Amino acid sequence: MSTALSLEEHWGEDLSKIPGLANAVESAILQIEEAGMENALKKLFHLSTT
């Protein structure tokens, strides 16, 4: 994840230098893989999943 976040030519800066960002992105990707995009977003925004 840090490799993708460090692509300054893509992001305009090295995002891997932001504390905790790589872990947050990895966690979000796992949530999407496990629960699907819709449910992951609902959880992120504290919305009902029913």
Side-chain angles (χ1 to χ4, degrees):
M1 185 53 52
S2 292
T3 302
L5 292 175
S6 66
L7 296 173
E8 292 184 43
E9 61 276 3
H10 185 74
W11 306 111
E13 64 182 291
D14 183 351
L15 298 180
S16 69
K17 294 180 180 178
I18 299 173
L21 182 60
N23 287 337
V25 172
E26 288 178 24
S27 177
I29 290 170
L30 282 173
Q31 293 263 341
I32 293 166
E33 290 176 344
E34 292 173 1
M37 179 61 90
E38 183 178 359
N39 287 329
L41 288 172
K42 285 179 179 179
K43 184 175 180 182
L44 176 67
F45 292 108
H46 307 288
L47 302 174
S48 174
T49 58
T50 57

